[in-house]
């Protein structure tokens, strides 16, 4: 038995590419048992080059999924749904990084899962939240860098806006990931739990009973009217 803080916590995650996998990778590093649930075709990042590690595997995929277990389930099928709910009964948290209304449509939000396990904690990571006119918009790093103005600051001053070489926005879910400690709070009230609802709001320690669901908005930029300028260095 290790002394890692999330030892004994089981996290189910339905995720792809970077934002969700990056956050849950750190949960695994902190001792949680993270089970990645993949559709039959697998996480699309398994196919991302240029460094392939064989069939349906890549360096990109491995870099975001250190320390996790993986299971293939078609949760849209009757049998897949049955097995998924059986896993939910054994889990403490369910994480996803699907856009807007998809969690509800797939039945992986708290409203859908509370009848399976009332104490389950659901963490939703999306670009534009689960409400509003942009809820169903996809949110990838390239788009987030452009909308946040980061690309305008990068590249040659006489050229077009340029994407930063690394996935800069994929670290945004990290502030919400400590919320999976909520089950520890339920077992041991001395554990202090932080609550957050959206990007830009600081995590605030709380001794109040944990809530069952939380949203992490990865990017909801504000237009200031101030134009940034690139310059020769």
């Amino acid at each position: 038995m290790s002394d890692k803080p999330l030892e004994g916590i089981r996290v189910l995650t339905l995720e792809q590419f970077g934002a969700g996998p990056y956050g849950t990778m750190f949960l695994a590093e902190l001792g949680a048992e993270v089970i990645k649930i993949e559709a039959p075709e697998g996480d699309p990042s398994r196919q991302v080059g240029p460094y392939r590690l064989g069939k349906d595997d890549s360096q990109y995929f491995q870099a975001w999924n250190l320390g996790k277990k993986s299971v293939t389930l078609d949760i849209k099928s009757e049998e897949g749904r049955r097995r998924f709910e059986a896993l939910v009964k054994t889990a403490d948290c369910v994480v996803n990084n699907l856009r807007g209304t998809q969690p509800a449509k797939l039945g992986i939000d708290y409203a859908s899962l509370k009848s399976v396990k009332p104490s389950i904690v659901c963490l939703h990571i999306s670009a534009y939240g689960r409400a509003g006119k942009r809820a169903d918009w996809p949110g990838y790093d390239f788009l987030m860098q452009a909308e946040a103005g980061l690309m305008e600051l990068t590249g040659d001053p006489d050229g077009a806006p340029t994407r930063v070489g690394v996935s800069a926005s994929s670290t945004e879910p990290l502030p919400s990931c400590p919320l999976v400690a909520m089950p520890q709070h339920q077992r041991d009230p001395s554990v202090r739990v932080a609550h957050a609802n959206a990007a830009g709001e600081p995590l605030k320690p709380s001794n109040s009973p944990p809530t069952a669901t939380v949203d992490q908005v990865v990017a909801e930029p504000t237009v200031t009217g101030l134009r940034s300028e690139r310059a020769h260095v």
Side-chain angles (χ1 to χ4, degrees):
M1 174 78 81
S2 72
D3 58 357
K4 292 184 177 181
L6 295 184
E7 188 78 33
I9 296 291
R10 172 175 277 189
V11 178
L12 306 181
T13 179
L14 298 93
E15 58 186 18
Q16 56 185 354
F17 287 110
Y22 187 65
T24 56
M25 180 177 69
F26 280 94
L27 300 182
E29 286 286 283
L30 289 171
E33 178 190 20
V34 179
I35 302 176
K36 184 182 178 81
I37 297 175
E38 298 185 61
E41 62 273 17
D43 184 333
S45 67
R46 289 179 175 274
Q47 311 302 328
V48 173
Y51 303 107
R52 303 297 297 275
L53 303 177
K55 185 178 181 343
D56 297 327
D57 197 7
S58 69
Q59 189 179 83
Y60 181 97
F61 174 81
Q62 293 294 334
W64 298 101
N65 292 285
L66 178 69
K68 304 177 190 178
K69 299 178 180 179
S70 180
V71 61
T72 299
L73 277 181
D74 181 3
I75 64 171
K76 295 180 180 179
S77 70
E78 184 176 343
E79 178 63 15
R81 183 70 190 186
R82 183 187 68 79
R83 295 189 178 190
F84 171 66
E85 292 187 355
L87 279 172
V88 171
K89 291 177 182 178
T90 71
D92 299 290
C93 312
V94 176
V95 178
N96 77 79
N97 69 328
L98 305 179
R99 68 182 187 272
T101 59
Q102 291 302 303
K105 290 178 180 178
L106 290 173
I108 59 174
D109 60 343
Y110 182 71
S112 303
L113 297 178
K114 63 182 179 180
S115 61
V116 179
K117 186 173 184 178
S119 63
I120 197 74
V121 173
C122 295
L123 173 60
H124 307 279
I125 301 166
S126 64
Y128 301 104
R130 291 190 294 157
K133 63 182 181 181
R134 299 202 290 179
D136 277 326
W137 286 23
Y140 293 97
D141 186 72
F142 201 113
L143 300 176
M144 298 301 98
Q145 289 193 31
E147 193 160 8
L150 187 58
M151 289 176 61
E152 181 65 22
L153 298 173
T154 310
D156 190 291
D158 301 320
T162 304
R163 178 184 180 274
V164 174
V166 296
S167 295
S169 68
S170 294
T171 61
E172 287 296 330
L174 288 179
S176 282
C177 284
L179 292 164
V180 300
M182 286 179 179
Q184 288 285 34
H185 177 92
Q186 294 170 320
R187 297 169 190 165
D188 180 1
S190 68
V191 176
R192 304 185 74 197
V193 180
H195 298 264
N197 290 309
E201 295 182 10
L203 291 173
K204 300 178 180 179
S206 171
N207 290 319
S208 60
T211 55
T213 183
V214 63
D215 291 281
Q216 171 70 30
V217 181
V218 173
E220 188 62 56
T222 301
V223 177
T224 65
L226 300 176
R227 179 176 176 80
S228 59
E229 298 291 343
R230 286 171 288 162
H232 291 284
V233 178

